[in-house]
Amino acid sequence: MIFDDLRSYLNALEEQGQLLRITEQVKAEPDIGAAANAAGRIGDGAPALWFDNIEGFTDARVAMNTVGSWPNHAISIGLPPNTPVKKQIDEFIRRWDNFPVAPVYRDNPPWAENTVDGEAINLFEILPLFRLNDGDGGFYLDKACTVSRDPTDPENFDKQNVGIYRLEVKGKRKLGLQPIPMHDIAIHLHKAEERGEDLPVSIVLGNDPIITLMGATPLKYDQSEYDMAGALREAPYPIVKAPLTGFDVPWGSEVVLEGVIECGVREIEGPFGEFTGHYSGGRRMAVVRIDKVSYRSNPIFESLYLGMPWTEVDYLIGPATCVPLYQQLKAEFPEVQAVNAMYTHGLLVIISTKKRFGGFARSVGMRAMTTPHGLGYVKMVIMVDEDVDPFDLKQVMWAMSSKVNPAGDLVQLNNMSVLELDPGSSPAGMTDKLIIDATTPVAPDNRGNYGMPVKDLPETQEWVSKLTRMLDEAKEGKQ
């Protein structure tokens, strides 16, 4: 199923029993954040949450945890809700190979129903704002997609970026934005400020799940998120020109904010409970001035709870991190078999690979650290053999325990870049990185005493299928 907007996706979730409507009156704080936090603690099948009876708000609709489980993630990309995680990632990889699928322009976007300009803008009236964690420094838009263009090449569609960056509401028409240096928007802002110019942006809230997934996916600088969204949904993605900036924005968004990142202006932003499971502290960050707001009648506000994993953000960015890393490594090292970057946005990555020669696995691990995503995130890499499933942590722990000799299998790289949000970095943004080589040595690396490995019996897979079928039949018989 293809979703052109958030509303059709929510309807699909409800039809599949994956949307829970909270009918009792709740407080914006702490109830909405606490409920979304709880959704991450009740198992991998948690539903999306819908709130429309919020104390202090006369007309508010809030959706939380929309991609916050494996069934919801499967539904978001058009798969049955019971699709296993590995199959979801395999399907993601298969569709990735369809890139690019050019978008389609549509007229009459639903978000054009209402507009507010200039000094008349008051985000506190348009949006039902609330804090997610009790230590947050303010109200955040943390699931919006921000669209920006390369100011030195503004007509290049492929260099137009769609990314998710946290946005603190600091005034009626003012936001704080965190441009992490490794992200495309930071490159755009740097180029604009070198020219002494503001950077125009369009910020879209309440989006269909595919463009949200794309906003969280580390593509190359000149790869279009809209072209990749088309590949992932296997149909052209619908876009439209925003009225003030002229940027290409999703056709089906709930709210569109247009304005500029002000040249050279920095203000304290934060703290904020981040995906690392820690508060990020306050830092001087860029400032956005909003000049035009367009929104649907009765808009739906969508937010994202972040905290100690797992929360919705981990389901959202887990597969979206695994797949680009896999594709980028596979293009240069065909021996790579699978990449598991599900842990804390890929601060830890597990990679399985065949080996051409001694030391080969470490070279793959080092390359992972220099991919577009790896520069800012990949802090630790565990390399395992091709017969070890990196998504099966029991197998990974076996490889770690039986194949790693700390005397020669730990590669520490000093003073490497990492995003400032990593609480282990010191100073912020700098860290040592580590490769753990848990592969079997091959010539000319002749260390260790590895005899004939014990492999599954030839009939094992047949029995896996048989036992699984028998267990399913037994469960059906008890119902």
Side-chain angles (χ1 to χ4, degrees):
M1 182 181 294
I2 295 173
F3 308 109
D4 290 342
D5 60 9
L6 175 63
R7 299 182 185 209
S8 60
Y9 174 54
L10 292 175
N11 288 338
L13 290 176
E14 188 161 35
E15 290 171 1
Q16 297 280 1
Q18 285 298 124
L19 175 69
L20 180 62
R21 293 183 179 270
I22 312 296
T23 57
E24 67 180 85
Q25 188 176 77
V26 301
K27 294 180 179 180
E29 297 179 17
D31 288 337
I32 296 179
N37 186 181
R41 302 291 180 259
I42 61 175
D44 289 343
L49 305 176
W50 171 271
F51 303 89
D52 59 8
N53 186 4
I54 305 170
E55 182 180 315
F57 294 90
T58 57
D59 185 30
R61 289 150 297 278
V62 176
M64 302 289 293
N65 206 54
T66 62
V67 191
S69 65
W70 291 125
N72 286 20
H73 185 274
I75 294 168
S76 76
I77 58 175
L79 297 175
N82 61 349
T83 305
V85 178
K86 187 64 166 60
K87 287 188 177 180
Q88 292 187 42
I89 293 174
D90 289 344
E91 180 64 12
F92 203 140
I93 291 171
R94 184 191 70 78
R95 296 184 192 182
W96 185 284
D97 290 334
N98 295 330
F99 176 85
V101 175
V104 59
Y105 285 95
R106 285 189 188 169
D107 297 325
N108 303 316
W111 49 258
E113 292 174 337
N114 306 277
T115 61
V116 188
D117 296 284
E119 291 298 329
I121 295 170
N122 186 345
L123 296 179
F124 298 102
E125 293 179 348
I126 298 170
L127 304 173
L129 300 171
F130 51 88
R131 292 180 301 169
L132 293 161
N133 281 301
D134 52 13
D136 289 349
F139 304 126
Y140 274 84
L141 313 177
D142 64 345
K143 206 177 182 182
C145 288
T146 299
V147 182
S148 61
R149 289 186 178 179
D150 185 329
T152 65
D153 195 6
E155 301 306 314
N156 190 325
F157 181 84
D158 293 338
K159 292 182 181 179
Q160 180 176 236
N161 179 61
V162 182
I164 296 179
Y165 312 104
R166 77 188 207 195
L167 297 151
E168 182 180 358
V169 181
K170 307 187 74 175
K172 292 181 178 180
R173 51 184 297 209
K174 182 168 75 170
L175 305 172
L177 182 145
Q178 178 180 247
I180 292 174
M182 299 81 178
H183 289 176
D184 290 351
I185 198 170
I187 298 173
H188 291 175
L189 179 58
H190 178 70
K191 290 184 177 183
E193 292 187 329
E194 279 190 325
R195 297 153 65 101
E197 300 172 353
D198 295 338
L199 180 71
V201 291
S202 294
I203 300 166
V204 292
L205 293 79
N207 303 304
D208 68 274
I210 292 296
I211 202 60
T212 300
L213 287 170
M214 287 299 96
T217 301
L219 301 180
K220 296 179 181 178
Y221 184 69
D222 59 354
Q223 283 184 319
S224 166
E225 284 80 9
Y226 294 131
D227 286 354
M228 190 62 80
L232 188 57
R233 70 190 231 136
E234 298 187 297
Y237 185 80
I239 58 176
V240 65
K241 295 289 184 183
L244 181 63
T245 60
F247 290 179
D248 302 302
V249 298
W251 176 87
S253 300
E254 295 286 318
V255 181
V256 177
L257 313 177
E258 295 181 87
V260 297
I261 301 178
E262 297 180 321
C263 178
V265 178
R266 300 292 186 273
E267 290 183 359
I268 292 294
E269 180 267 357
F272 183 58
E274 266 289 355
F275 71 91
T276 61
H278 295 79
Y279 287 98
S280 58
R283 297 189 180 92
R284 295 178 63 80
M285 294 294 176
V287 173
V288 182
R289 184 190 73 237
I290 302 300
D291 297 318
K292 189 178 189 69
V293 179
S294 306
Y295 61 96
R296 293 185 74 157
S297 297
N298 303 315
I300 298 171
F301 181 69
E302 186 185 16
S303 189
L304 172 76
Y305 179 79
L306 299 92
M308 187 178 74
W310 274 49
T311 68
E312 182 183 2
V313 70
D314 298 287
Y315 295 98
L316 174 65
I317 63 181
T321 305
C322 296
V323 176
L325 277 175
Y326 169 80
Q327 294 285 22
Q328 291 157 16
L329 290 173
K330 188 80 170 177
E332 298 177 5
F333 299 102
E335 293 82 2
V336 170
Q337 301 299 296
V339 175
N340 180 356
M342 305 280 275
Y343 308 106
T344 321
H345 205 353
L347 287 175
L348 170 66
V349 178
I350 308 167
I351 303 171
S352 65
T353 185
K354 298 177 181 178
K355 301 172 295 296
R356 291 185 223 162
F357 42 76
F360 181 80
R362 300 172 198 197
S363 299
V364 175
M366 293 181 69
R367 182 66 185 96
M369 292 176 173
T370 57
T371 59
H373 184 74
L375 287 171
Y377 290 86
V378 179
K379 184 171 64 172
M380 291 174 283
V381 178
I382 301 172
M383 299 300 306
V384 295
D385 289 320
E386 68 271 22
D387 59 351
V388 174
D389 181 358
F391 293 91
D392 186 336
L393 295 187
K394 292 179 181 178
Q395 291 187 21
V396 174
M397 291 300 102
W398 165 74
M400 291 268 290
S401 61
S402 66
K403 303 198 181 216
V404 174
N405 182 341
D409 290 327
L410 306 181
V411 180
Q412 185 168 337
L413 305 171
N414 300 327
N415 298 320
M416 302 289 284
S417 63
V418 73
L419 80 165
E420 292 183 348
L421 296 177
D422 174 25
S425 63
S426 182
M430 297 296 296
T431 187
D432 285 10
K433 294 191 174 184
L434 179 68
I435 300 170
I436 303 175
D437 188 353
T439 62
T440 307
V442 297
D445 185 358
N446 295 316
R447 295 171 302 124
N449 300 282
Y450 297 96
M452 181 68 71
V454 179
K455 295 184 178 294
D456 287 349
L457 295 169
E459 300 81 8
T460 297
Q461 192 55 48
E462 178 183 345
W463 270 98
V464 167
S465 299
K466 183 183 293 186
L467 292 174
T468 301
R469 185 174 63 253
M470 294 171 67
L471 288 169
D472 289 342
E473 291 172 351
K475 290 178 181 176
E476 291 176 2
K478 291 181 179 180
Q479 292 179 348

Short mmCIF file of all heavy atoms in Angstrom, two decimals, residues 1 20 43 65 75 87 100 104 141 151 174 184 255 310 318 321 338 344 347 366 427 461:
data_model
loop_
_atom_site.label_atom_id
_atom_site.label_comp_id
_atom_site.label_asym_id
_atom_site.label_seq_id
_atom_site.Cartn_x
_atom_site.Cartn_y
_atom_site.Cartn_z
N MET A 1 0.84 -1.19 0.00
CA MET A 1 0.00 0.00 0.00
C MET A 1 0.88 1.24 0.00
O MET A 1 1.91 1.29 0.68
CB MET A 1 -0.92 0.00 1.22
CG MET A 1 -1.88 1.18 1.28
SD MET A 1 -2.93 1.14 2.76
CE MET A 1 -3.90 -0.34 2.44
N LEU A 20 -3.78 2.93 18.57
CA LEU A 20 -4.56 2.94 19.81
C LEU A 20 -5.03 4.36 20.07
O LEU A 20 -4.22 5.28 20.24
CB LEU A 20 -3.71 2.44 20.98
CG LEU A 20 -4.39 2.40 22.35
CD1 LEU A 20 -5.58 1.44 22.34
CD2 LEU A 20 -3.39 2.00 23.42
N GLY A 43 7.13 -3.95 24.24
CA GLY A 43 7.44 -4.98 23.26
C GLY A 43 7.50 -4.45 21.84
O GLY A 43 7.15 -3.31 21.56
N ASN A 65 4.47 7.66 18.12
CA ASN A 65 4.91 6.27 17.95
C ASN A 65 4.40 5.64 16.66
O ASN A 65 4.18 4.44 16.57
CB ASN A 65 4.45 5.42 19.15
CG ASN A 65 5.35 4.21 19.36
OD1 ASN A 65 6.56 4.37 19.50
ND2 ASN A 65 4.79 3.02 19.38
N ILE A 75 4.29 -1.96 7.96
CA ILE A 75 3.15 -1.32 7.32
C ILE A 75 3.58 -0.05 6.60
O ILE A 75 3.11 0.26 5.50
CB ILE A 75 2.06 -1.02 8.37
CG1 ILE A 75 1.48 -2.33 8.93
CG2 ILE A 75 0.94 -0.16 7.76
CD1 ILE A 75 0.63 -2.13 10.17
N LYS A 87 13.69 -9.64 6.95
CA LYS A 87 13.03 -9.57 5.65
C LYS A 87 12.66 -8.13 5.31
O LYS A 87 12.67 -7.74 4.14
CB LYS A 87 11.79 -10.46 5.62
CG LYS A 87 12.11 -11.96 5.57
CD LYS A 87 10.87 -12.79 5.35
CE LYS A 87 11.22 -14.28 5.23
NZ LYS A 87 10.02 -15.12 5.00
N PRO A 100 17.27 5.77 -9.25
CA PRO A 100 16.28 6.76 -8.81
C PRO A 100 14.92 6.54 -9.47
O PRO A 100 14.84 6.08 -10.60
CB PRO A 100 16.89 8.07 -9.29
CG PRO A 100 17.59 7.69 -10.57
CD PRO A 100 18.12 6.28 -10.36
N VAL A 104 6.76 13.08 -8.81
CA VAL A 104 5.71 13.65 -9.65
C VAL A 104 5.18 14.91 -8.97
O VAL A 104 4.97 14.93 -7.76
CB VAL A 104 4.57 12.63 -9.90
CG1 VAL A 104 3.93 12.18 -8.60
CG2 VAL A 104 3.53 13.19 -10.84
N LEU A 141 10.14 20.43 17.83
CA LEU A 141 9.63 19.76 16.63
C LEU A 141 10.72 18.78 16.25
O LEU A 141 11.74 19.17 15.67
CB LEU A 141 9.37 20.76 15.50
CG LEU A 141 8.61 22.04 15.87
CD1 LEU A 141 8.51 22.96 14.66
CD2 LEU A 141 7.25 21.71 16.43
N PRO A 151 23.28 26.65 -1.77
CA PRO A 151 23.16 28.01 -2.29
C PRO A 151 24.11 28.31 -3.46
O PRO A 151 23.89 29.28 -4.19
CB PRO A 151 23.50 28.89 -1.08
CG PRO A 151 24.30 28.00 -0.19
CD PRO A 151 23.78 26.61 -0.39
N LYS A 174 10.10 31.91 15.76
CA LYS A 174 11.54 31.65 15.86
C LYS A 174 11.80 30.23 16.34
O LYS A 174 11.19 29.77 17.30
CB LYS A 174 12.21 32.66 16.79
CG LYS A 174 13.72 32.48 16.88
CD LYS A 174 14.40 33.65 17.55
CE LYS A 174 14.19 33.66 19.04
NZ LYS A 174 15.06 34.66 19.72
N ASP A 184 23.98 17.36 5.64
CA ASP A 184 23.94 18.21 4.44
C ASP A 184 23.51 19.63 4.75
O ASP A 184 24.01 20.58 4.14
CB ASP A 184 22.99 17.59 3.40
CG ASP A 184 23.54 16.31 2.80
OD1 ASP A 184 24.72 15.99 3.06
OD2 ASP A 184 22.80 15.63 2.07
N VAL A 255 1.56 20.53 7.86
CA VAL A 255 1.96 21.92 8.09
C VAL A 255 3.26 22.19 7.34
O VAL A 255 4.16 21.34 7.32
CB VAL A 255 2.17 22.20 9.60
CG1 VAL A 255 2.57 23.65 9.83
CG2 VAL A 255 0.94 21.85 10.40
N TRP A 310 14.96 0.94 23.70
CA TRP A 310 14.47 1.35 22.39
C TRP A 310 13.24 2.23 22.50
O TRP A 310 12.38 2.01 23.33
CB TRP A 310 14.16 0.10 21.59
CG TRP A 310 15.33 -0.43 20.89
CD1 TRP A 310 16.57 -0.66 21.39
CD2 TRP A 310 15.39 -0.79 19.50
NE1 TRP A 310 17.40 -1.14 20.42
CE2 TRP A 310 16.69 -1.24 19.25
CE3 TRP A 310 14.49 -0.79 18.44
CZ2 TRP A 310 17.11 -1.66 17.99
CZ3 TRP A 310 14.90 -1.21 17.19
CH2 TRP A 310 16.19 -1.63 16.97
N GLY A 318 16.87 2.67 12.51
CA GLY A 318 17.65 1.43 12.48
C GLY A 318 17.82 0.89 11.08
O GLY A 318 18.94 0.86 10.54
N THR A 321 19.55 3.14 8.58
CA THR A 321 21.00 3.25 8.73
C THR A 321 21.70 2.00 8.20
O THR A 321 22.74 2.07 7.56
CB THR A 321 21.38 3.49 10.20
OG1 THR A 321 20.68 4.62 10.68
CG2 THR A 321 22.88 3.74 10.34
N ALA A 338 26.36 -8.56 5.18
CA ALA A 338 25.24 -7.91 5.87
C ALA A 338 25.80 -6.87 6.84
O ALA A 338 26.94 -6.97 7.30
CB ALA A 338 24.39 -8.93 6.63
N THR A 344 21.70 2.58 18.50
CA THR A 344 21.96 3.99 18.78
C THR A 344 22.45 4.70 17.51
O THR A 344 23.50 5.34 17.49
CB THR A 344 22.96 4.16 19.94
OG1 THR A 344 22.67 3.19 20.94
CG2 THR A 344 22.85 5.54 20.56
N LEU A 347 26.08 4.12 16.18
CA LEU A 347 27.31 4.34 16.94
C LEU A 347 28.06 3.03 17.10
O LEU A 347 29.29 3.00 17.21
CB LEU A 347 27.00 4.95 18.32
CG LEU A 347 26.55 6.42 18.32
CD1 LEU A 347 26.16 6.84 19.73
CD2 LEU A 347 27.64 7.34 17.77
N MET A 366 37.31 0.04 8.79
CA MET A 366 37.80 1.41 8.66
C MET A 366 37.01 2.17 7.60
O MET A 366 36.70 3.35 7.78
CB MET A 366 39.28 1.41 8.33
CG MET A 366 40.16 0.89 9.44
SD MET A 366 41.93 0.92 9.07
CE MET A 366 42.25 2.67 9.06
N PRO A 427 37.09 16.17 23.74
CA PRO A 427 35.99 17.13 23.87
C PRO A 427 34.82 16.74 22.97
O PRO A 427 34.95 15.86 22.11
CB PRO A 427 36.62 18.45 23.42
CG PRO A 427 37.69 18.03 22.46
CD PRO A 427 38.24 16.75 23.02
N GLN A 461 18.25 -26.92 8.40
CA GLN A 461 17.31 -25.92 7.93
C GLN A 461 15.94 -26.53 7.65
O GLN A 461 14.90 -25.93 7.92
CB GLN A 461 17.84 -25.21 6.67
CG GLN A 461 17.05 -23.96 6.30
CD GLN A 461 16.95 -22.96 7.44
OE1 GLN A 461 17.93 -22.62 8.08
NE2 GLN A 461 15.73 -22.51 7.73
#
